[in-house]
Structures are given as structure tokens and as C-alpha cells.
Amino acid sequence: MPYNQVMFDRKQTRQISIGDDRTGRVLVGGGAGVSVQTMTSGYTWNIDECVAEINRMTEAGADVVRVAVPQKKDTEALPEILAQTKVPIVADVHFHYKRAIEAVEAGIHKIRLNPGNINDRDQVNAVIDACRDRGIPIRVGVNEGSIIERKDKQQRAEELGRFFADRRQGHLLALMIAKLEEYMEIFEAKDFHDVCISAKSMDARLIIDIYTEIAARFDYPLHLGVTHAGPKETGAIRSVVALGTLLANGIGDTIRISYASDPVHEVEDGLEMLYSLGLRTRRGAELIACPTCGRIQVDLFTLVQEVRKKLANEIELPIKVAVMGCVVNGPGEAEGADVAVFAGDRRGIIYVQGERVANVKEEEILDALLDECRRFQDRVRNGEATLGEKKVEIVPPDPIGELGSGAEKIAAGQVEQVTIEGN
Ligand code: SF4
């Protein structure tokens, strides 16, 4: 499904195309949807493991995958890796420009160069020439960590530093912009525009500032990312703050979330970020769940995790599923769900688009809910139902009305908890 549900005014940029006829082409910038990238964590020369990792990422929804090629044996492995994978592959090149040339000759779909460690103009020109011949785009990826203050950059940095004098980390930002401008001049001189840009930092505030500045200065598509974001627990917050802010402001054409953990989480969280912003059509079910409170009468946390796993494996359509701890606030909080369960007193009432379909024991909730999700998916596929057509309504009297006088007392604020009676 194309990722084209754009909600915000996106900044207009040039467009690059990554991939070939076999992988399909991922368009970046120029009005294309925002794509999700990730990077393998193992050695590229270890072909079997590299292919297995790329294929797991592809299965999780990655649009583009990057691999490191620090050694010649890495670029030598590329033809076999490219033959066994289905997504466009990017070669991540640092220090050795010849790795880029070798990767291009191996059929790579995109090159990433780091201006912080491949500086020689002739070397960059050689990479540009090789890429131009084969229609391969280049990402110019500036990194906070590889920016070295040199005397010849100081003056420009100081000029820019004054411009940013009232901003956080103005000096580092200025150095990164100065480096980027200097590097991009090489590409402009070669009249090579098949380029996208990134400027990564571990500081979310710096990322927001620098990408905002780059978007004002260049019309190349932007690859967003937080570098060294740490483990998923903290990296997710940093990424959401930085990338979410930029995307909500219309800046960013492709994203890579970086975690010190299984890269599949990077893909899953990147997709969820785009779904949340309405920048991409959801693949699979959307799960809504209450955080629980003192009204809870079932093991909701376990149930939610089990439902999440099952939905990911079994439901392909973007069905909205709600798992709510009670019928007091649950129906209101689950408004808009296609399939919902409201739990209470070790039981659950299941609704499909506003219609009560089951009242089951706690241990039967998971299977019953999944059955309803599968049935609903079949009905949508057969044209008998439409996603999001009918909302779960805010009740009472239904379903509270059918739960007896106890529920009515709750509705009237006379008691605190719901008792759901069995069928
Ligand atoms: S749905 Fe019920 S149990 Fe869950 S948070 Fe809301 S009031 Fe509490």
C-alpha cells in the first residue's frame, strides 16, 4: 500500500529514487510519502546472517536497509546479498572512498558518505562520477560525532554561530552547517543533484534546530535520525521528540530510528510514528488499550500484550481494536474502534461496530476477540462491512443497561465497580 496519507503541509524538495526494477523503487522527497529505513547490526561479509537480518527487517516493514562496508570483504559480499534480498540496500561508507566505488560496481542502490571522514575533493568527485553513471543517489550524512573543528572552518562557524547566538548549541550547529555547505558545494560544482541530506546528533533539540535550518537552506530531501539514541527505552523518546516535531512541521522525507537493540524495533517504531502522524497508511490492526485504574477487574496488561502479538500476526487490515478495562469509561475511551472488549468482574463484553456480539469469561476473551477481528476482516474483504464506519457508542444504557441494576448504580455514580453477569 502506498504511504501517501499526508496530513501536514510538507516542505517541497527534489526527489531521489532508491532501488531497481527487482526491488521496486522507493521515492524520497518531491511529494513522496515518508519511508522507513534501518541498518543491519551484524557484519556485512557474513552473507547468510546479513541476508537473514535484512529479510527480517523487510518483513517488519522496512523500505530501505543500510549495511556497513568498512572492509573490502564487505563490498565483495554485496552482489550475493543484493541477489537474496527484496528491498533497496544502501552502503554506509566512512573513511575509504574506494568502498563506495566498489559498492557501486557491486550494484548497490544508494551510497551514504560522511563529510566528517571523506573530505578529499577528488575522492568525492570519483564517487559522484561512479554514482552518476549508474543513477545511484548519495546521502550526505553529517554527524555530530565526526565534526572536527578545524581552523579553516572556524571563521564560517563563528559567523553562523553569531546568527545562532541565542540558540542552544549554536556553535556545534554552526560547524555542522558549515561542513554541510562546504561539502554540498562539491556536488553543486559537479551538477549532481541526486542527493539527500542528514545531520544527526544525539540531542533532540539540536536535531530540531539543524534540520529546520537545513530545510530553509537546501531543497534536497532530508533523512531524519537521532544518532546514538541509546537503548529503545530512552531512544524511543528522543526519536519521537526530535523526528515527530520535525515531521509535524512538514520537514523530513525518510526516517531512521536508531536503537542499541534489535533493529526490527527501529522499523516497528518508525512505522508507528508515521501512522500516528497520519503520514502513512497503517499496515495491520491498530490497538487501543486503557492504562487501567482502580476499576480494573481483569489482568488487562497480559491481555493487551497477547492481543498485540496475535493482531500483528493475524490481522492485515487496519482494523481499530480496543481493549478496555471496564464499561464505565471504556466505551467513551474506545470511541471509533471497530472491535472492542470491555472487561469487568473476570468477564468481557465484545462489541463489533457498536453491536454487542459476546459476553465471555476472562480466559476466553483473547480467543473470542481474535475470532471477531478475523470475522470482521473477512466481512470487510467481502464488502459486507467498512472500516471505521460505525463507532462504538458512548453508553449507557447499552452495554451497561444489559448488565443489570449494579451497572445502573455505577452510571448513577452510586457504586464504583461494574459486575458483568454471565450469559
Ligand atoms: S477503561 Fe475503565 S479501567 Fe480502564 S482506565 Fe478507563 S476507567 Fe479505568
Side-chain angles (χ1 to χ4, degrees):
M1 185 167 294
Y3 29 88
N4 56 7
Q5 282 196 336
V6 178
M7 193 167 97
F8 307 100
D9 284 341
R10 304 269 308 285
K11 176 186 154 53
Q12 280 309 304
T13 64
R14 294 170 183 265
Q15 187 170 79
I16 62 168
S17 166
I18 316 169
D20 55 30
D21 292 343
R22 196 182 57 78
T23 61
R25 291 173 197 280
V26 174
L27 301 178
V28 176
V34 180
S35 49
V36 171
Q37 308 202 17
T38 186
M39 185 169 181
T40 54
S41 57
Y43 297 119
T44 304
W45 53 259
N46 189 336
I47 294 173
D48 289 348
E49 284 187 13
C50 186
V51 166
E53 192 175 15
I54 291 170
N55 288 339
R56 271 196 321 120
M57 294 161 161
T58 309
E59 189 64 26
D63 300 303
V64 175
V65 175
R66 183 159 42 118
V67 299
V69 289
Q71 305 177 69
K72 197 158 191 300
K73 62 181 178 178
D74 295 309
T75 51
E76 285 169 352
L78 288 176
E80 193 56 42
I81 291 167
L82 292 165
Q84 294 186 48
T85 52
K86 297 180 194 138
V87 283
I89 306 290
V90 183
D92 195 49
V93 181
H94 296 254
F95 299 106
H96 304 290
Y97 83 103
K98 284 196 174 158
R99 295 292 96 78
I101 309 279
E102 291 158 11
V104 169
E105 286 166 357
I108 202 77
H109 302 114
K110 184 178 156 202
I111 294 289
R112 181 271 171 116
L113 293 181
N114 183 345
N117 55 42
I118 298 182
N119 273 304
D120 183 276
R121 194 175 187 108
D122 290 341
Q123 292 181 359
V124 177
N125 281 340
V127 176
I128 291 172
D129 289 341
C131 287
R132 192 202 307 270
D133 285 349
R134 299 197 184 214
I136 295 172
I138 298 173
R139 169 159 67 96
V140 173
V142 182
N143 251 19
E144 173 189 349
S146 51
I147 287 294
I148 300 161
E149 294 191 41
R150 287 184 355 209
K151 278 194 176 161
D152 59 342
K153 305 287 179 309
Q154 279 300 329
Q155 190 180 349
R156 180 76 181 122
E158 279 164 18
E159 283 168 29
L160 288 160
R162 277 198 292 278
F163 179 69
F164 290 107
D166 60 339
R167 310 283 288 275
R168 302 170 304 276
Q169 302 207 37
H171 191 63
L172 179 56
L173 184 150
L175 281 171
M176 291 171 75
I177 293 277
K179 176 51 116 180
L180 184 62
E181 284 187 333
E182 176 197 70
Y183 214 67
M184 292 310 298
E185 191 272 321
I186 303 176
F187 289 76
E188 299 284 342
K190 295 282 282 181
D191 199 22
F192 184 86
H193 304 286
D194 207 3
V195 171
C196 78
I197 293 175
S198 66
K200 298 188 185 180
S201 162
M202 63 171 72
D203 184 315
R205 298 163 302 171
L206 178 61
I207 290 174
I208 293 166
D209 277 354
I210 196 164
Y211 275 101
T212 303
E213 187 59 29
I214 291 170
R217 286 168 187 254
F218 297 95
D219 64 355
Y220 293 107
L222 299 184
H223 164 126
L224 307 185
V226 179
T227 193
H228 308 128
K232 179 173 157 62
E233 290 76 11
T234 50
I237 306 295
R238 288 183 185 155
S239 301
V240 167
V241 168
L243 275 53
T245 301
L246 287 163
L247 289 166
N249 283 312
I251 294 172
D253 303 283
T254 184
I255 63 170
R256 190 252 168 138
I257 290 186
S258 314
Y259 295 147
S261 60
D262 185 344
V264 164
H265 297 312
E266 300 179 0
V267 179
E268 292 170 345
D269 290 2
L271 286 168
E272 191 60 42
M273 187 186 301
L274 298 181
Y275 296 150
S276 304
L277 288 165
L279 287 167
R280 186 148 175 168
T281 304
R282 183 171 289 279
R283 197 180 78 148
E286 177 179 10
L287 179 59
I288 304 162
C290 83
T292 81
C293 71
R295 295 184 181 88
I296 196 78
Q297 291 182 311
V298 295
D299 179 4
L300 198 87
F301 288 168
T302 304
L303 177 63
V304 167
Q305 285 307 326
E306 287 172 351
V307 170
R308 186 182 69 80
K309 280 186 223 145
K310 295 271 187 188
L311 289 176
N313 291 333
E314 298 190 32
I315 301 299
E316 291 169 0
L317 297 184
I319 297 171
K320 204 176 256 193
V321 180
V323 180
M324 311 306 286
C326 74
V327 291
V328 178
N329 292 334
E333 291 166 3
E335 197 179 0
D338 296 300
V339 182
V341 60
F342 307 108
D345 198 21
R346 308 287 161 204
R347 297 191 71 86
I349 301 181
I350 300 175
Y351 273 71
V352 177
Q353 292 205 321
E355 226 176 277
R356 177 191 177 284
V357 293
N359 180 339
V360 297
K361 292 181 193 155
E362 181 176 3
E363 57 272 25
E364 296 165 358
I365 291 176
L366 180 64
D367 287 342
L369 186 71
L370 260 292
D371 279 349
E372 293 307 332
C373 289
R374 286 187 213 103
R375 261 197 285 275
F376 183 69
Q377 177 167 261
D378 289 344
R379 283 173 51 212
V380 172
R381 285 185 166 145
N382 294 336
E384 297 159 10
T386 306
L387 289 169
E389 190 180 48
K390 288 192 214 158
K391 312 292 184 200
V392 172
E393 289 169 7
I394 301 174
V395 283
D398 206 15
I400 289 181
E402 69 183 88
L403 294 177
S405 58
E408 284 158 15
K409 284 180 190 165
I410 291 165
Q414 294 170 5
V415 294
E416 292 292 328
Q417 292 192 327
V418 174
T419 298
I420 301 177
E421 295 159 3
N423 279 332

